[in-house]
Amino acid sequence: MNWSKLKKTLGPGILFASTAIGVSHLVQSTRAGANYGFALLGIIIITNILKFPFFEYAVRYANATGETLIDGYKKLGKPVIWIYFLVTIASMFFVTAAVSIVTAGFMDNLFGLSSIYPSFKLFPVVIVFIVSTGALLTGKFSVLDSLIKLIGIILFISTLIVFILTLINGPSEHESSFSPLDIFDDVGILFIIALMGWMPTALDMSCWTSLWVVEKIKSTNYHPTLKENLFDFNLGYWIAAFLSICFVTMGAFLVFGTGTVLPKSSAGFASSVIELYTSTIGNWSYLIIAIAAFSIMLGTSIGVFDGYSRVLQHSSKILFFPEEKTNSKRIYIISLIILALGSFSITAFFMGEFKNLIDLATTISFLIAPLVAIANFKLVGKKYIGEVATPKVHMKLISYLGISFLTGFALFYIYIKFLK
């Protein structure tokens, strides 16, 4: 593989990883370990494996056709693109709100913003919204993104060090009266669904990966080989998958059975996560870890704002302005403003209900995952991308298992929640 050409390819996979390593890892994986020990580790590994093909197909389709998955959904029929558009509208405000409130928690923990205006509890969230939308409106995201990727590497190395030291030191001593939670009761089942929703991230975000691949090709004027694009994506995906295991381990070894209860507020939870690092590495590392964790969450927040706005921009042009030469930048800005206003309203409504908002957003993502999985699988048939680029037999087998897995759990959730 030619390194000079590979450098032109690298980017979308790293951006995927930096977006994925957010709520699903810092919050959900840590909660899984802290509340259930290693009981959910198998679920996390299986989910990462069974969702992998449908993310990979986004890269495969974009490389083979030079188009995004959204363009592909149009080829599957107008009802498909409409369903995706409506599903995006239904979920984007909750997902963006959830990411923003977690980001605000890490920002508040680092800068103590809530102490500036104690009576205005939404102040840290307002700052996150201003920074996220401002970076995209002013076109400064590229500079910030480069910095976030660098800090993301620091967080990755720090997490790896804590993971290794945690394994060496072994689990913390359990309380004598400790009794583990039941993963098979209704609360446990509902948490499992929420955990799988964003493991390693929401499946409907596979469209973003195809958008980033297409944009990378345009910006570099270089069309990578399929092998180069897949190398970039696989690197980012499996780093994100591995880090989810690291966070589960940290929660299981350092919190599970100790009597420590993770706070329900976003700022308190952020402080507890950072304490997992400092208690293992040393207090001297607090500022480094706090900055790295906040930065990776800010990168996730900006990535979510950008991803949903691009999806709305692209799908709106296909659905409402197919023949017109509309101003894409204008549609993007309008989409970004709508997303910000709607998400902020959700955030204000759920203020103080940090855990419930996270579980709701991740559950919504899981319930729509089977639809996205089926559509992505259909688009990598030779009818759409040619025989050379179609996935191998083992990927097709994992796809069938993944669709069955996602559909089965989605139906089980509906039964538990509404029919039982």
Side-chain angles (χ1 to χ4, degrees):
M1 193 176 292
N2 189 306
W3 173 243
S4 62
K5 292 182 179 179
L6 187 59
K7 283 194 295 185
K8 296 179 182 179
T9 308
L10 291 174
I14 297 172
L15 194 53
F16 171 87
S18 65
T19 304
I21 303 168
V23 177
S24 63
H25 292 60
L26 294 173
V27 179
Q28 296 294 72
S29 294
T30 304
R31 281 176 64 196
N35 294 336
Y36 299 99
F38 287 108
L40 300 181
L41 180 60
I43 288 288
I44 289 174
I45 293 173
I46 290 171
T47 304
N48 278 312
I49 292 172
L50 294 184
K51 287 171 76 173
F52 168 71
F54 311 112
F55 286 106
E56 195 252 40
Y57 294 160
V59 178
R60 190 177 290 269
Y61 182 84
N63 178 274
T65 65
E67 297 179 343
T68 73
L69 280 180
I70 301 173
D71 298 296
Y73 294 158
K74 180 186 176 184
K75 293 178 181 178
L76 293 177
K78 206 164 187 180
V80 177
I81 184 69
W82 266 109
I83 289 172
Y84 180 74
F85 179 74
L86 294 175
V87 161
T88 298
I89 296 293
S91 62
M92 67 181 188
F93 298 120
F94 291 95
V95 172
T96 307
V99 171
S100 298
I101 203 168
V102 174
T103 305
F106 281 91
M107 177 185 278
D108 193 19
N109 174 76
L110 181 60
F111 298 109
L113 295 179
S114 57
S115 62
I116 299 176
Y117 296 106
S119 59
F120 185 32
K121 294 182 179 180
L122 284 171
F123 181 63
V125 179
V126 170
I127 298 300
V128 169
F129 272 79
I130 291 174
V131 172
S132 298
T133 56
L136 295 171
L137 288 172
T138 58
K140 300 298 182 183
F141 178 50
S142 58
V143 177
L144 188 60
D145 182 51
S146 299
L147 180 61
I148 289 169
K149 286 176 183 175
L150 175 62
I151 295 178
I153 293 173
I154 295 174
L155 183 66
F156 171 73
I157 295 173
S158 303
T159 304
L160 191 59
I161 291 172
V162 173
F163 175 66
I164 294 171
L165 290 177
T166 299
L167 291 179
I168 293 173
N169 295 333
S172 301
E173 186 175 346
H174 289 187
E175 283 189 329
S176 57
S177 59
F178 169 68
S179 178
L181 297 175
D182 183 5
I183 64 172
F184 296 110
D185 62 13
D186 287 357
V187 174
I189 294 296
L190 294 179
F191 176 72
I192 290 173
I193 298 292
L195 177 67
M196 292 189 294
W198 280 3
M199 187 55 57
T201 191
L203 194 52
D204 54 304
M205 294 180 186
S206 57
C207 270
W208 304 7
T209 308
S210 67
L211 283 162
W212 292 329
V213 170
V214 171
E215 284 298 316
K216 185 72 174 181
I217 292 172
K218 290 179 180 177
S219 63
T220 59
N221 200 29
Y222 171 70
H223 196 124
T225 64
L226 179 59
K227 186 177 181 181
E228 289 168 342
N229 265 147
L230 291 181
F231 176 84
D232 168 60
F233 173 73
N234 289 342
L235 179 65
Y237 188 93
W238 293 114
I239 284 176
F242 171 71
L243 285 180
S244 66
I245 297 173
C246 292
F247 279 101
V248 171
T249 303
M250 290 160 60
F253 272 35
L254 303 178
V255 181
F256 181 65
T258 63
T260 302
V261 178
L262 293 175
K264 294 184 177 180
S265 69
S266 58
F269 192 94
S271 178
S272 296
V273 169
I274 293 169
E275 192 176 327
L276 295 180
Y277 285 87
T278 56
S279 65
T280 305
I281 302 177
N283 289 330
W284 62 268
S285 65
Y286 168 79
L287 194 58
I288 297 173
I289 301 301
I291 291 173
F294 161 64
S295 298
I296 204 70
M297 278 308 310
L298 182 61
T300 299
S301 179
I302 295 174
V304 167
F305 272 96
D306 182 58
Y308 275 124
S309 298
R310 286 181 185 273
V311 166
L312 286 181
Q313 173 198 36
H314 204 72
S315 54
S316 295
K317 286 197 69 174
I318 292 173
L319 289 171
F320 307 118
F321 315 105
E323 305 298 333
E324 298 179 29
K325 293 184 178 179
T326 52
N327 189 323
S328 295
K329 181 66 175 178
R330 183 181 177 185
I331 298 176
Y332 177 85
I333 292 173
I334 293 172
S335 300
L336 182 61
I337 292 172
I338 292 172
L339 177 64
L341 293 175
S343 302
F344 185 77
S345 300
I346 296 294
T347 305
F349 181 80
F350 278 92
M351 199 63 193
E353 298 289 335
F354 161 72
K355 184 178 75 67
N356 291 337
L357 176 58
I358 299 299
D359 287 346
L360 176 60
T362 51
T363 299
I364 290 173
S365 293
F366 189 80
L367 290 176
I368 63 180
L371 300 175
V372 179
I374 293 170
N376 290 5
F377 187 36
K378 286 181 70 69
L379 284 175
V380 292
K382 62 181 179 180
K383 173 182 176 182
Y384 298 101
I385 64 174
E387 193 166 354
V388 175
T390 53
K392 303 296 183 184
V393 174
H394 73 278
M395 286 289 283
K396 293 180 181 179
L397 177 60
I398 297 174
S399 299
Y400 287 122
L401 291 173
I403 290 171
S404 301
F405 174 80
L406 295 171
T407 304
F409 265 101
L411 293 175
F412 185 57
Y413 169 83
I414 293 172
Y415 169 75
I416 289 288
K417 190 71 176 177
F418 302 109
L419 303 177
K420 187 175 179 181

